[in-house]
Amino acid sequence: MGQHNVLHRLQQVQFALIELQFYLDMNPDDQRAVQQYNCLSDELHHLKHEYEAACGPLMQFGFSNSPNRWVWTSTPWPWEIEY
């Protein structure tokens, strides 16, 4: 999967997780929603690892490791990426 495809899928999964979190706040006993949340959470971690291995860290402040050198200034900002 290409860089833009992975990033786009990451955004989709994050959006779905936020929506499920809101839903689960009001429906905490919905086991199907909990299962879907957990599945998407696993996918998010996998996609994040895949993207960072190929393109560098997604987040700073200790949430993502930096490769051999500091790369924050060498990659485009999210709003600079054309899909």
Side-chain angles (χ1 to χ4, degrees):
M1 199 182 293
Q3 172 187 0
H4 297 301
N5 292 337
V6 174
L7 187 58
H8 187 69
R9 182 63 186 154
L10 269 164
Q11 293 168 338
Q12 291 173 332
V13 170
Q14 287 174 327
F15 179 82
L17 284 167
I18 291 168
E19 291 298 311
L20 276 168
Q21 181 176 333
F22 290 145
Y23 174 81
L24 285 166
D25 285 346
M26 301 301 293
N27 303 279
D29 296 322
D30 186 335
Q31 290 303 306
R32 186 169 157 238
V34 171
Q35 184 179 23
Q36 187 178 15
Y37 181 91
N38 290 336
C39 181
L40 285 171
S41 180
D42 290 343
E43 182 180 357
L44 180 67
H45 291 290
H46 172 76
L47 288 167
K48 182 179 177 282
H49 176 73
E50 181 182 341
Y51 182 89
E52 289 183 335
C55 305
L58 283 166
M59 299 176 64
Q60 55 184 344
F61 306 117
F63 291 104
S64 296
N65 291 334
S66 189
N68 298 328
R69 62 184 189 82
W70 194 249
V71 296
W72 287 105
T73 58
S74 63
T75 57
W77 292 95
W79 55 85
E80 296 175 325
I81 299 171
E82 295 184 27
Y83 293 98

